[in-house]
Amino acid sequence: RMPASIPEAGRRHRASAAFSLSFLSLVFSITAFTSSHWCEGTRKVAKPFCKGDTKGDLCIRFNSPDGNNSQAVQYIWETGDDKYVEKNFHAGIWYSCEEMINEEGEKCRSFISLTPASDRGVLWLSIVTELLYVILLLIGNILMSVEIFYYSSVIDGLKINAFSAVVTVLAGLLGMVAHMMYTTVFQMTVNLGPEDWRPHTWDYGWSYGLAWTSFACCMAAAVTTINKYTKTILEFKHKRKKLERSFRIQYNFPDH
């Protein structure tokens, strides 16, 4: 029979720390998965012609005082880079959005439709892996909460603890693979994607950082859970040896 005097407060503290890290990882992963700011940048597009009384630097103007006079020769003032304007864009796993010229709002397109056909399989694999990552994180959170609030004995808690550690480690590995696959697909789309989408400049956005923060929290939760399991086992062994030693001393009678 296992001793019941192993410090309860220490186990609870480690279990709460692991649960908090795992819960943060779950929230971060869902937020990143549903957002469209994994990558951000600018696109260089030709300015449209100014219509009517439109003024500003976002359209091409004419120097003709009478636009309705068909015999008037019209010259475009803009030359070289002045003919172009930069539009901000952001892209995620599901869709890509860019701001509209001379209008408010954004125009969004499915990122899957922009991906080269040869890389769509990898993108779908990344999406499935990301979903499995979220599901395993959810299972790990449920197991950790059960361990904290509902288990009746230390032995039951140890069994749940071991299973939650395995699930959390597996989730972290899947998350790492999913993030790396999406990074590869995005870089291929930048090089081989449609001409009317390719960015002029780009960098990783806050969602990308949040996804990797989620992975870091997941692995920290896994390490904390494994550490808790190992410490509990060592405490068991230490207490048992202590009890055995005390029994030997208590019942150690002289031979005569």
Side-chain angles (χ1 to χ4, degrees), residues 33 35 38-39 91-96 109-132 174 177-190 197:
F33 186 60
S35 71
W38 286 62
C39 299
I93 292 177
W94 298 105
Y95 51 92
S96 173
R109 292 182 280 181
S110 168
F111 183 74
I112 298 171
S113 64
L114 299 171
T115 308
S118 59
D119 294 310
R120 282 179 191 167
V122 180
L123 178 60
W124 278 112
L125 186 59
S126 171
I127 291 172
V128 171
T129 309
E130 199 77 40
L131 281 171
L132 289 174
L174 287 175
V177 172
H179 304 343
M180 293 176 66
M181 282 193 296
Y182 176 78
T183 303
T184 302
V185 170
F186 185 84
Q187 291 175 351
M188 293 300 294
T189 306
V190 168
W197 177 84

Side-chain angles (χ1 to χ4, degrees), residues 62-133:
F62 298 96
N63 67 339
S64 170
D66 185 4
N68 294 324
N69 186 351
S70 61
Q71 308 213 348
V73 179
Q74 297 177 340
Y75 297 97
I76 298 174
W77 284 113
E78 283 80 356
T79 58
D81 285 341
D82 291 334
K83 290 182 180 180
Y84 298 94
V85 63
E86 288 188 347
K87 295 197 302 182
N88 294 322
F89 86 98
H90 53 90
I93 292 177
W94 298 105
Y95 51 92
S96 173
C97 298
E98 61 185 51
E99 63 180 347
M100 302 177 69
I101 301 177
N102 295 324
E103 293 182 32
E104 294 183 358
E106 294 180 325
K107 174 185 175 183
C108 295
R109 292 182 280 181
S110 168
F111 183 74
I112 298 171
S113 64
L114 299 171
T115 308
S118 59
D119 294 310
R120 282 179 191 167
V122 180
L123 178 60
W124 278 112
L125 186 59
S126 171
I127 291 172
V128 171
T129 309
E130 199 77 40
L131 281 171
L132 289 174
Y133 171 56

Side-chain angles (χ1 to χ4, degrees), residues 110-223:
S110 168
F111 183 74
I112 298 171
S113 64
L114 299 171
T115 308
S118 59
D119 294 310
R120 282 179 191 167
V122 180
L123 178 60
W124 278 112
L125 186 59
S126 171
I127 291 172
V128 171
T129 309
E130 199 77 40
L131 281 171
L132 289 174
Y133 171 56
V134 174
I135 292 171
L136 287 177
L137 280 176
L138 180 60
I139 294 173
N141 272 268
I142 293 172
L143 289 172
M144 290 178 188
S145 63
V146 168
E147 180 191 357
I148 293 173
F149 299 109
Y150 296 107
Y151 74 87
S152 57
S153 67
V154 176
I155 300 301
D156 293 338
L158 267 178
K159 292 176 182 177
I160 297 174
N161 183 246
F163 192 49
S164 62
V166 172
V167 169
T168 308
V169 169
L170 182 59
L173 294 175
L174 287 175
M176 179 183 67
V177 172
H179 304 343
M180 293 176 66
M181 282 193 296
Y182 176 78
T183 303
T184 302
V185 170
F186 185 84
Q187 291 175 351
M188 293 300 294
T189 306
V190 168
N191 296 325
L192 303 174
E195 290 285 346
D196 63 343
W197 177 84
R198 292 184 193 177
H200 179 60
T201 59
W202 67 276
D203 202 350
Y204 297 109
W206 61 266
S207 296
Y208 188 80
L210 200 63
W212 282 108
T213 304
S214 169
F215 166 75
C217 289
C218 176
M219 297 312 294
V223 170

Side-chain angles (χ1 to χ4, degrees), residues 8-75:
E8 184 72 17
R11 289 200 310 271
R12 292 282 182 180
H13 180 73
R14 291 192 291 270
S16 299
F19 175 76
S20 300
L21 287 168
S22 182
F23 183 75
L24 278 177
S25 178
L26 178 64
V27 172
F28 290 163
S29 64
I30 293 175
T31 304
F33 186 60
T34 55
S35 71
S36 62
H37 289 266
W38 286 62
C39 299
E40 300 173 342
T42 59
R43 285 193 59 240
K44 197 172 183 180
V45 297
K47 294 179 182 178
F49 291 107
C50 295
K51 297 179 181 179
D53 296 330
T54 304
K55 295 180 180 179
D57 297 328
L58 299 180
C59 61
I60 297 177
R61 299 184 300 277
F62 298 96
N63 67 339
S64 170
D66 185 4
N68 294 324
N69 186 351
S70 61
Q71 308 213 348
V73 179
Q74 297 177 340
Y75 297 97

